[in-house]
Amino acid sequence: MTTVSENIPKNYGTLVFSENSMKERIPAKTYELLEKTIKEGKPLDLDVANAVAKAMKDWAIELGATHHTHWFQPLSGMTSEKHDSFLSPTEDGNALMTFSGKELIQGESDASSFPSGGLRASFEARGYTAWDPTSFAFIKDEVLCIPTAFCSYTGEALDKKTPLLRSMKALEEQAKRVLKLFGESETPVTAMVGSEQEYFLISEKDFERRQDLVLTGRTLFGAAPCKGQELEEHYFGAIRPTVNEFMKELDDELWALGIPAKTKHNEVAPAQHELAPIYTNVNRAIDENLLTMEKMRLLASHYGLVCLQHEKPFRGINGSGKHNNWSISAGKTNLLDPGATPMDNLRFLVFLTGVIQAVDEYQDLLRMSVASAGNDHRLGSDEAPPAIISIFLGTELGGVVDALIADTDYTNAKAVAMDLGVAVLPRFRKDNTDRNRTSPFAFTGNKFEFRMPGSGVNLSDTNTVLNTAMAKSLKEFADTLDGKSGEAFEKAALDYVKKTLTDHERIIFDGNGYGEEWETEAARRGLSHYRTTADALPCFIEQKSIDLFEEFNVLNELEIRSRYEVKLEKYNKLLNIECRVMKRMTRRAFLPAINTYAGKLAKSINAIKEALPDAELAQETTLLNNLVKGVQSADEALQKLDTLHREIAGIVDQQEKANRYAHEALPAMEELRAAIDALEIITDRSHWPVPTYNNLLFYS
Ligand code: ADP
Ligand code: MG
């Protein structure tokens, strides 16, 4: 008998049409042509597409698939699919299972219901999906899913994947130019990403009774539970049996899809968990992350649970993020690894400097890329990084960079193992220990960890910005050093590094990112600080960002403007829903419940008075008084929010609308919440109409 563990390698990747399955099933000559498309971006001819489609279909049918779909990522951020069956009836009344190269390469999509920020209106009503052969097809619920890009007929991107692929190309082109200057042979260069996905699991029964959770993904009301996360018992704690069963099934399903889920554990907050896969190229990493999120949501229901992927489902309890671990690989070499020889060190310093320059220069865009209504509650509330971008390098690397800027001898940096050989370059060890969890962008040995993204986000935007900004840094280096070689190159490269680091030193910060001192210091350094999505979005359409994206053919101005519109609209729509849900819950659930309880209390006070005219009723009457006064303040807060909400709803300009939601509606929502939460803790438990934080977070 084989054990469960023995079956894991056997089942791994069985539901993906991976490189191996392709090699097995496609004639060698055809595969070679396909590989050219995958690795070099060469256009695919129809004969090859037909052969691949046939192999893919046969493989999928053997595994029970009945349908196929072009799987894509519309601007709303998650994934979309429309299933077509393989079935094609024949004239004689029978049926064949067919799938052509044309169907594989391109799909028509009536995309009019997807957000496009007005893009389609100005061009064509329809869009099409195009096969992305660099991410593998897979089977999900008897459907062959083909990862695709989604564009308008005039070529404008209508999705998240297209600009990401373009940014990968830009990064590769510029990195290759730099590597050539280092005399290195041509290898494919790609950004690598490992994303750590945090999420909550709560009971389905409780979830269903909370309109705020069902409709907005977060609790809009709720007094703090008696116990929060202060005992620190949940982080890495024993996993409850139901959750463990859920995680096991999740692992099995992900492994079958070839998604290398590696680490799972309980997180800091009660009912919070994390899953991290092994990193891979950024395009696949994002497809895999989206698929993982979908599987989490789906499988939770098998265990009577609901998976919350909102960035801040509970006030006062840590929210959920999605750390974006990012590096650049050239073949087998990680270009963000300090390396072993002085020359490797120099190359590393050039790439490191490129990252520092990119992050400083385009800090606004990076912040913008993670802006969402949900993430606004998480950034800057002392659980996740602040909304200010800065880079943490750690003591060792920080010492080297300081020495380079000060133009002093590296021997001054104590921890640095010296190598005074060629070009007087430092040799340093990787620094894995010194972790500053408060930093938004931390160097962790051989990669950067961007900790701002929220749990619900599609990481494409962030990585599109990172890749493009990095391409820009590398281009500047390559342009400057063009034509130099040997010692002259080494000297010029080191000078370039020193100068660029000096120019961008302000972005490096190793101190405590929480707290007000940093806010003041960051302002002094001229770093931007956008607290809300409404404040963070406008930089997207500034000339500086249009110039960047256009220079590298990642997004044109029209695409940028449409994306900005979509983000704004999404924010406004969410805030509108949150306002409505708050008003509805207050009017229809909370106030009636509190009034019923107050009425009962009044009756019982009168009854006691009748029976015992001299009875001391101070506690009861004070409580009744507080309930009545509380209802009064809640109603005032409700009226205030209502007036404001109606006013904002009437505003046509989307940016103005967002500003008002962020700076006026949200504080008014806070007031209403505070009034209701204060009543929650004095109202008889049996009268409270929704499950409380105690129920939601500490279920068994
Ligand atoms: P943490 O302590 O934050 O959990 P880990 O070392 O476990 O960090 O790594 C977290 C994620 O980073 C994983 O998904 C891992 O695969 C990924 N990762 C590791 N090395 C790299 C790299 N060179 N480039 C990109 N991601 C990486
Ligand atoms: Mg991490």
Side-chain angles (χ1 to χ4, degrees):
M1 207 179 85
T2 51
T3 65
V4 176
S5 323
E6 279 167 344
N7 277 330
I8 292 173
K10 251 192 0 224
N11 293 337
Y12 187 80
T14 42
L15 296 180
V16 257
F17 197 57
S18 63
E19 214 167 301
N20 279 343
S21 358
M22 287 196 243
K23 274 187 196 150
E24 270 169 32
R25 288 169 179 266
I26 300 172
K29 276 251 153 28
T30 316
Y31 183 74
E32 243 171 62
L33 294 169
L34 176 65
E35 215 176 12
K36 275 208 161 42
T37 301
I38 297 176
K39 303 227 158 104
E40 295 162 31
K42 296 255 156 46
L44 195 65
D45 77 42
L46 203 56
D47 288 341
V48 178
N50 279 330
V52 178
K54 181 173 183 314
M56 217 184 245
K57 179 200 73 184
D58 292 345
W59 169 81
I61 287 176
E62 279 167 32
L63 290 162
T66 53
H67 290 67
H68 58 88
T69 184
H70 275 195
W71 189 74
F72 64 100
Q73 301 166 30
L75 295 184
S76 54
M78 293 299 124
T79 57
S80 293
E81 48 195 83
K82 178 189 85 180
H83 305 164
D84 285 310
S85 74
F86 290 118
L87 195 81
S88 82
T90 54
E91 274 178 18
D92 56 6
N94 293 323
L96 293 172
M97 296 293 258
T98 63
F99 183 52
S100 69
K102 239 176 102 197
E103 286 172 293
L104 166 66
I105 304 178
Q106 188 167 322
E108 294 251 352
S109 187
D110 175 14
S112 47
S113 312
F114 292 107
S116 77
L119 242 192
R120 263 187 325 271
S122 39
F123 290 94
E124 244 277 17
R126 287 194 307 180
Y128 71 91
T129 48
W131 181 34
D132 163 22
T134 58
S135 188
F136 301 135
F138 56 91
I139 293 174
K140 182 168 65 84
D141 302 324
E142 297 171 6
V143 178
L144 168 66
C145 299
I146 298 150
T148 50
F150 179 36
C151 297
S152 76
Y153 272 100
T154 40
E156 268 74 24
L158 295 172
D159 68 347
K160 301 254 177 195
K161 188 190 268 279
T162 306
L164 177 74
L165 292 172
R166 294 175 186 160
S167 76
M168 290 169 73
K169 188 165 167 249
L171 177 65
E172 175 164 39
E173 272 169 19
Q174 300 305 326
K176 278 184 172 167
R177 289 182 62 204
V178 173
L179 292 178
K180 207 167 165 196
L181 287 167
F182 276 93
E184 293 183 22
S185 56
E186 280 254 320
T187 43
V189 176
T190 178
M192 307 296 279
V193 161
S195 58
E196 302 162 66
Q197 178 72 44
E198 290 181 337
Y199 60 99
F200 280 85
L201 287 175
I202 63 166
S203 130
E204 205 165 25
K205 282 204 190 75
D206 287 340
F207 171 82
E208 281 164 0
R209 291 178 54 213
R210 299 241 7 171
Q211 214 175 24
D212 48 1
L213 276 176
V214 173
L215 296 176
T216 73
R218 74 174 178 115
T219 52
L220 297 168
F221 300 95
C226 302
K227 166 171 136 175
Q229 58 198 43
E230 63 272 41
L231 294 179
E232 296 172 357
E233 60 197 350
H234 195 255
Y235 191 54
F236 284 14
I239 299 172
R240 13 171 117 92
T242 343
V243 171
N244 212 9
E245 287 305 309
F246 159 83
M247 287 179 169
K248 273 195 217 161
E249 189 180 352
L250 181 62
D251 275 343
D252 286 342
E253 294 245 339
L254 295 180
W255 290 337
L257 285 164
I259 299 174
K262 177 82 175 167
T263 318
K264 52 182 180 186
H265 59 80
N266 283 352
E267 258 301 328
V268 173
Q272 192 187 29
H273 314 280
E274 179 184 300
L275 182 144
I278 295 172
Y279 68 99
T280 179
N281 83 62
V282 55
N283 180 34
R284 285 199 59 205
I286 290 171
D287 284 355
E288 289 179 358
N289 176 250
L290 292 170
L291 206 48
T292 301
M293 289 172 78
E294 183 183 320
K295 284 285 175 199
M296 282 177 171
R297 292 192 299 269
L298 202 80
L299 295 182
S301 67
H302 295 182
Y303 302 90
L305 299 169
V306 169
C307 176
L308 303 179
Q309 295 172 347
H310 191 283
E311 287 82 4
K312 191 75 177 176
F314 306 102
R315 154 80 54 83
I317 300 285
N318 274 14
S320 301
K322 175 150 52 196
H323 293 172
N324 189 76
N325 294 274
W326 179 84
S327 65
I328 307 170
S329 93
K332 290 197 175 2
T333 312
N334 175 357
L335 298 173
L336 291 181
D337 193 310
T341 69
M343 209 50 191
D344 285 351
N345 279 181
L346 180 59
R347 186 191 59 207
F348 165 71
L349 282 179
V350 167
F351 278 85
L352 174 79
T353 301
V355 178
I356 291 170
Q357 180 183 11
V359 171
D360 183 33
E361 204 56 56
Y362 296 100
Q363 51 182 290
D364 291 9
L365 279 179
L366 270 180
R367 164 69 183 98
M368 182 283 297
S369 75
V370 299
S372 73
N375 214 21
D376 284 353
H377 298 289
R378 188 180 152 260
L379 299 179
S381 56
D382 289 3
E383 55 167 277
I388 309 163
I389 304 257
S390 66
I391 296 181
F392 170 82
L393 292 177
T395 339
E396 251 179 87
L397 188 54
V400 173
V401 167
D402 285 347
L404 283 165
I405 291 172
D407 211 5
T408 52
D409 210 327
Y410 310 108
T411 37
N412 292 344
K414 260 196 233 132
V416 179
M418 285 294 304
D419 188 319
L420 291 169
V422 191
V424 203
L425 284 168
R427 195 179 70 209
F428 37 87
R429 285 172 279 125
K430 280 197 279 187
D431 182 358
N432 276 319
T433 49
D434 201 354
R435 295 279 188 102
N436 181 342
R437 312 297 301 182
T438 70
S439 173
F441 205 92
F443 183 70
T444 49
N446 59 3
K447 61 182 160 64
F448 277 96
E449 182 169 354
F450 185 36
R451 303 195 180 111
M452 268 190 177
S455 48
V457 79
N458 176 327
L459 287 173
S460 298
D461 290 355
T462 282
N463 288 293
T464 299
V465 172
L466 263 177
N467 294 345
T468 313
M470 186 63 183
K472 170 99 179 155
S473 301
L474 296 176
K475 177 171 188 292
E476 195 181 304
F477 176 85
D479 288 350
T480 313
L481 282 268
D482 202 20
K484 293 205 163 53
S485 62
E487 266 182 44
F489 167 75
E490 283 166 34
K491 187 176 173 312
L494 201 58
D495 285 347
Y496 182 94
V497 163
K498 282 181 188 169
K499 177 174 181 319
T500 311
L501 287 176
T502 310
D503 291 347
H504 297 282
E505 192 183 4
R506 65 170 186 167
I507 198 77
I508 300 169
F509 176 62
D510 281 7
N512 178 15
Y514 299 170
E516 275 172 35
E517 301 88 60
W518 171 230
E519 278 183 29
T520 319
E521 167 64 11
R524 196 193 56 76
R525 294 187 186 191
L527 301 178
S528 24
H529 188 187
Y530 301 113
R531 286 173 206 272
T532 72
T533 299
D535 307 317
L537 294 183
C539 78
F540 201 6
I541 48 169
E542 273 170 19
Q543 196 56 45
K544 182 175 170 183
S545 73
I546 296 173
D547 288 347
L548 172 74
F549 290 123
E550 289 202 327
E551 178 176 357
F552 294 95
N553 296 317
V554 170
L555 288 168
N556 63 32
E557 181 166 351
L558 216 68
E559 290 170 320
I560 293 170
R561 289 191 182 278
S562 71
R563 265 149 224 269
Y564 161 74
E565 286 296 328
V566 170
K567 281 176 190 282
L568 263 184
E569 269 178 32
K570 186 171 175 188
Y571 178 77
N572 290 336
K573 283 179 183 162
L574 274 172
L575 265 293
N576 178 41
I577 295 170
E578 288 193 351
C579 284
R580 284 159 93 169
V581 173
M582 278 198 107
K583 294 194 306 192
R584 188 76 56 93
M585 284 176 83
T586 304
R587 286 185 184 131
R588 305 281 299 270
F590 296 124
L591 294 183
I594 299 158
N595 283 328
T596 307
Y597 173 55
K600 272 196 188 161
L601 189 61
K603 260 196 203 140
S604 102
I605 290 174
N606 284 339
I608 298 173
K609 267 193 191 149
E610 221 169 274
L612 278 176
D614 296 332
E616 180 57 65
L617 287 168
Q619 187 269 333
E620 289 84 343
T621 46
T622 309
L623 175 58
L624 184 57
N625 230 319
N626 288 343
L627 285 169
V628 174
K629 274 200 283 191
V631 165
Q632 197 56 41
S633 355
D635 189 55
E636 277 164 27
L638 173 67
Q639 298 315 326
K640 189 171 155 193
L641 178 64
D642 188 43
T643 311
L644 201 55
H645 181 213
R646 282 169 193 277
E647 213 181 292
I648 298 174
I651 298 174
V652 179
D653 182 86
Q654 295 290 329
Q655 181 65 55
E656 189 191 337
K657 202 177 194 145
N659 294 346
R660 301 277 308 266
Y661 270 128
H663 303 298
E664 293 176 44
L666 274 165
M669 288 161 73
E670 285 305 301
E671 273 176 50
L672 177 55
R673 176 180 185 147
I676 297 291
D677 289 358
L679 285 161
E680 181 191 319
I681 51 175
I682 58 168
T683 300
D684 174 14
R685 182 178 300 152
S686 64
H687 282 76
W688 202 248
V690 299
T692 64
Y693 271 29
N694 280 329
N695 308 134
L696 291 166
L697 291 163
F698 299 95
Y699 63 95
S700 55

